[in-house]
Amino acid sequence: MTSKPHVLIVGAGAIGSFYGAILKRAGCRVGLVLRSEYDAVAANGIQIDSPLGDLSFRPDDLLRDGDELESAPDYLILCVKVLPGVDRAALVKPWMGKSTRLVLIENGLDIERELAEAYPDNPLISCLAFIAVSRTAPGRVDHKAYGKLVMGRYPQGIDDNAQALSALFTEGGISIDLTEQVVGERWRKCLWNTPFNPLSVLANGADTRTMLETEGGEALIRAMMQEVSAVAEADGHPLPQDMIDKNISGTRKMPPYKNSMALDYLNNRPIELDAVLGNVVAIAHRHNVPVPHLTTVLVALKMREPQ
Amino acid sequence: MTSKPHVLIVGAGAIGSFYGAILKRAGCRVGLVLRSEYDAVAANGIQIDSPLGDLSFRPDDLLRDGDELESAPDYLILCVKVLPGVDRAALVKPWMGKSTRLVLIENGLDIERELAEAYPDNPLISCLAFIAVSRTAPGRVDHKAYGKLVMGRYPQGIDDNAQALSALFTEGGISIDLTEQVVGERWRKCLWNTPFNPLSVLANGADTRTMLETEGGEALIRAMMQEVSAVAEADGHPLPQDMIDKNISGTRKMPPYKNSMALDYLNNRPIELDAVLGNVVAIAHRHNVPVPHLTTVLVALKMREPQ
């Protein structure tokens, strides 16, 4: 790696643009692959309002699908949504070099496998983003709060590549939790997301308070969390026993809010149903863990007309 | 009873108007209680297109809430939707005489009890309508097909009152199945309605084919039917063992269609969630029958903002 690491971000929405800006602040060469927002970003760069200051930047490379780079990036950071129609392995192929580290900043469970299988010789770093950020216009991003990444080598461990990337993000101004068990961390995040996110879509975008205070609502969410917990345990990633109570009481203490999947639904954007719920149900089937509540939510959402 | 039975229909939507027309053809004096459609019906009567012929009629009495009748009707037929905000016992009170037979033509399970408790000395006749009928404009009804009523004394048996009313409907031109076990008949109808109707609303109005052909769809519907069947059995109304298979194969043979609750939802009308599903879950709880699939559907729908 040169003294100025070369980063390419594929899927530069709110998340990708934000973490690109952080790496730009850390001195990296940062390129973006864009589709519909290409012209806006070519004209004005990426504008980011943030409590960290003005993070706006001009990308060092600006590409569309199929454009070539003269050299493969050191880090290819994939931030696209995980959707059934999107072949992520094919998407990154034009820019994957022999030693490119593939980095995922994406939601859900069991989302790394197809990339690990497609690029078995490239290091794979899996990240969970804890951040409140949204895209307000082409090339414009509003960073409201947080930004921490939980990061580890996939399927487990912390290697030099994760260490080095962590140092860059830290230098750029955000905090990183390196973890030996990134899959376990995904299960921890799914304990909340898997019930709340898809259920809020079934409930036509209900907020957290409405969901918890509906008659039978907290009991249903707890039952779904119990199912997630049972699947996590069967999959080798047992969750702490008090984690359900803490998730419920923590959510009750927060102001009511609509989660990201509810907002995607309300804005007619596709939802990451399989990444957040379908894969959990599939793993449950592999381990013969009964998940009637999760299955009902999954199938009811699949019955909706394609969006 | 005089030679010309006196009927009052409360809630003269499509169902009430149609069965009123049938009794009018049988020679009854038929009155209607209306709200928003009062003026239209006062001007033009009820217009009904039907394969049975032109069933249009002018009601003999046209009332609004609170209007009095000089004498109590022989039959008060209640056809309003069963909704949480609607106190049906209070609604019929102004016209209930000492010997008025109270007749329900309404969907759902356990919908008779509050009326039986409010009018313990009045005969109560419970009916299930098998009909394709819809209201197309104020006072205008389109009868597409069918029309059979399944009818019995509540909570069980067939008495002279049910016999007499059955004879009037038959004279008016529709077929009647008298049943000793009307509650059992409601369970039979719920075996289909309780899964398909609310699930179609969660699926944003999906039709029967979409629901059955979605991945996991038939399995989910069968699981919900198994739960309904288990609750029916615990409640003393066991259903035939092959009834689930017959319901599924029968539905697959029909052209895809959107059920009445799906249409209510798509037209922004309130849905009879408790009558069709909530009461089944409540009975399951009384008998300690686990119903995780039904509960998930019920609570997800209750989480939606009030309509």
Side-chain angles (χ1 to χ4, degrees):
Chain A
M1 201 179 300
T2 67
S3 60
K4 195 180 183 187
H6 176 189
V7 174
L8 184 67
I9 296 182
V10 178
I15 294 269
S17 299
F18 174 79
Y19 289 107
I22 296 296
L23 293 174
K24 186 74 187 160
R25 289 220 298 187
C28 296
R29 169 179 161 192
V30 175
L32 306 181
V33 180
L34 292 172
R35 288 184 175 172
S36 58
E37 312 210 342
Y38 184 96
D39 292 337
V41 175
N44 304 310
I46 297 281
Q47 316 284 324
I48 305 182
D49 294 322
S50 167
L52 299 177
D54 183 6
L55 299 181
S56 303
F57 72 105
R58 286 197 171 266
D60 297 295
D61 308 287
L62 191 56
L63 308 182
R64 294 188 227 245
D65 286 348
D67 284 355
E68 294 187 4
L69 267 179
E70 75 278 14
S71 63
D74 300 308
Y75 297 97
L76 190 154
I77 304 185
L78 184 58
C79 302
V80 296
K81 278 197 181 178
V82 181
L83 297 171
V86 179
D87 181 344
R88 293 175 296 146
L91 192 64
V92 299
K93 193 155 195 281
W95 309 291
M96 284 293 289
K98 275 194 174 178
S99 60
T100 298
R101 298 126 183 98
L102 182 54
V103 182
L104 308 185
I105 306 180
E106 292 177 312
N107 268 326
L109 201 87
D110 200 21
I111 58 155
E112 300 96 342
R113 197 152 39 101
E114 67 180 87
L115 291 153
E117 287 170 4
Y119 301 101
D121 299 327
N122 292 77
L124 180 51
I125 302 171
S126 183
C127 305
L128 289 156
F130 293 80
I131 186 168
V133 68
S134 59
R135 176 196 158 286
T136 55
R140 295 199 67 96
V141 171
D142 184 20
H143 173 223
K144 292 195 189 66
Y146 318 115
K148 186 178 78 175
L149 290 177
V150 174
M151 178 187 297
R153 176 182 180 275
Y154 177 83
Q156 61 199 18
I158 300 172
D159 60 7
D160 290 347
N161 298 299
Q163 294 275 14
L165 182 61
S166 166
L168 290 170
F169 276 121
T170 304
E171 193 179 337
I174 62 165
S175 72
I176 302 288
D177 281 358
L178 280 167
T179 174
E180 296 272 356
Q181 295 292 341
V182 73
V183 176
E185 293 297 327
R186 288 195 175 271
W187 278 112
R188 294 168 80 94
K189 194 169 182 185
C190 274
L191 188 72
W192 197 98
N193 282 354
T194 299
F196 270 100
N197 288 17
L199 194 54
S200 72
V201 176
L202 274 188
N204 283 350
D207 65 35
T208 46
R209 180 175 296 167
T210 301
M211 295 173 74
L212 282 171
E213 296 194 350
T214 295
E215 183 187 351
E218 182 177 326
L220 173 59
I221 290 165
R222 283 178 178 271
M224 294 175 72
M225 287 181 170
Q226 291 287 1
E227 290 178 0
V228 174
S229 185
V231 182
E233 184 162 357
D235 202 44
H237 301 278
L239 302 174
Q241 289 209 331
D242 62 352
M243 202 172 160
I244 293 177
D245 283 344
K246 284 184 176 169
N247 266 271
I248 296 290
S249 63
T251 306
R252 283 199 174 275
K253 277 179 203 142
M254 289 162 59
Y257 78 101
K258 295 181 189 287
N259 63 61
S260 61
M261 191 181 277
L263 293 174
D264 280 344
Y265 170 71
L266 291 171
N267 288 292
N268 295 309
R269 296 189 294 254
I271 60 172
E272 294 179 294
L273 184 61
D274 284 329
V276 171
L277 174 57
N279 292 352
V280 174
V281 171
I283 294 169
H285 289 172
R286 288 208 289 275
H287 296 298
N288 287 314
V289 176
V291 286
H293 300 90
L294 297 180
T295 300
T296 306
V297 172
L298 176 67
V299 176
L301 284 171
K302 284 186 181 286
M303 282 180 177
R304 292 185 172 186
E305 304 297 327
Q307 309 224 347
Chain B
M1 202 181 296
T2 68
S3 60
K4 195 181 185 185
H6 176 190
V7 174
L8 185 67
I9 296 180
V10 179
I15 294 269
S17 299
F18 174 80
Y19 289 107
I22 295 297
L23 292 174
K24 185 74 187 163
R25 289 219 300 186
C28 296
R29 170 180 161 191
V30 175
L32 306 180
V33 180
L34 294 171
R35 289 185 174 170
S36 59
E37 313 211 341
Y38 184 96
D39 293 337
V41 175
N44 305 310
I46 298 280
Q47 317 283 324
I48 306 183
D49 293 323
S50 167
L52 299 177
D54 182 7
L55 299 180
S56 302
F57 71 106
R58 285 198 171 266
D60 298 296
D61 308 287
L62 192 56
L63 310 181
R64 294 188 226 245
D65 286 349
D67 285 355
E68 293 187 4
L69 267 180
E70 74 280 13
S71 63
D74 300 309
Y75 297 97
L76 189 153
I77 303 183
L78 183 58
C79 302
V80 296
K81 279 198 181 176
V82 181
L83 297 171
V86 179
D87 181 343
R88 293 174 297 145
L91 192 64
V92 300
K93 195 154 195 280
W95 309 290
M96 285 293 289
K98 276 195 172 173
S99 61
T100 298
R101 296 126 184 97
L102 183 54
V103 183
L104 308 186
I105 307 180
E106 294 177 310
N107 268 326
L109 201 88
D110 201 21
I111 59 156
E112 301 96 342
R113 197 153 39 104
E114 67 180 88
L115 291 153
E117 287 171 3
Y119 302 101
D121 299 327
N122 291 78
L124 181 52
I125 301 171
S126 182
C127 304
L128 289 156
F130 294 80
I131 188 167
V133 68
S134 59
R135 176 195 159 286
T136 54
R140 294 199 69 95
V141 172
D142 184 21
H143 173 222
K144 292 193 189 67
Y146 318 114
K148 186 177 78 174
L149 290 177
V150 173
M151 178 187 298
R153 176 180 179 275
Y154 177 84
Q156 60 198 17
I158 300 172
D159 61 7
D160 291 347
N161 298 299
Q163 293 276 15
L165 181 62
S166 166
L168 289 170
F169 275 120
T170 305
E171 194 180 337
I174 63 165
S175 73
I176 302 288
D177 282 357
L178 280 167
T179 175
E180 296 272 356
Q181 295 292 342
V182 73
V183 176
E185 292 297 328
R186 287 194 176 272
W187 277 112
R188 294 169 80 95
K189 195 170 184 185
C190 274
L191 188 71
W192 197 98
N193 282 355
T194 299
F196 271 101
N197 288 16
L199 194 54
S200 71
V201 176
L202 274 188
N204 283 351
D207 64 34
T208 45
R209 180 174 297 166
T210 302
M211 294 172 74
L212 282 171
E213 297 193 352
T214 295
E215 183 188 352
E218 181 177 326
L220 173 58
I221 290 165
R222 282 179 178 272
M224 293 174 73
M225 287 182 170
Q226 291 287 1
E227 291 178 359
V228 174
S229 185
V231 182
E233 184 163 356
D235 202 44
H237 301 278
L239 301 175
Q241 288 209 331
D242 62 351
M243 205 173 159
I244 293 176
D245 283 344
K246 284 185 175 169
N247 266 270
I248 296 290
S249 62
T251 306
R252 281 199 175 274
K253 278 178 202 141
M254 290 163 59
Y257 77 101
K258 294 180 190 286
N259 64 61
S260 60
M261 192 181 276
L263 293 174
D264 280 343
Y265 169 71
L266 291 171
N267 289 289
N268 295 310
R269 296 187 295 254
I271 60 171
E272 292 180 293
L273 183 61
D274 283 329
V276 171
L277 175 57
N279 291 352
V280 174
V281 171
I283 293 168
H285 289 173
R286 288 208 289 276
H287 297 297
N288 288 315
V289 177
V291 287
H293 301 90
L294 297 180
T295 300
T296 306
V297 173
L298 176 67
V299 176
L301 283 171
K302 284 187 183 283
M303 282 177 176
R304 292 184 172 186
E305 304 296 327
Q307 310 223 345

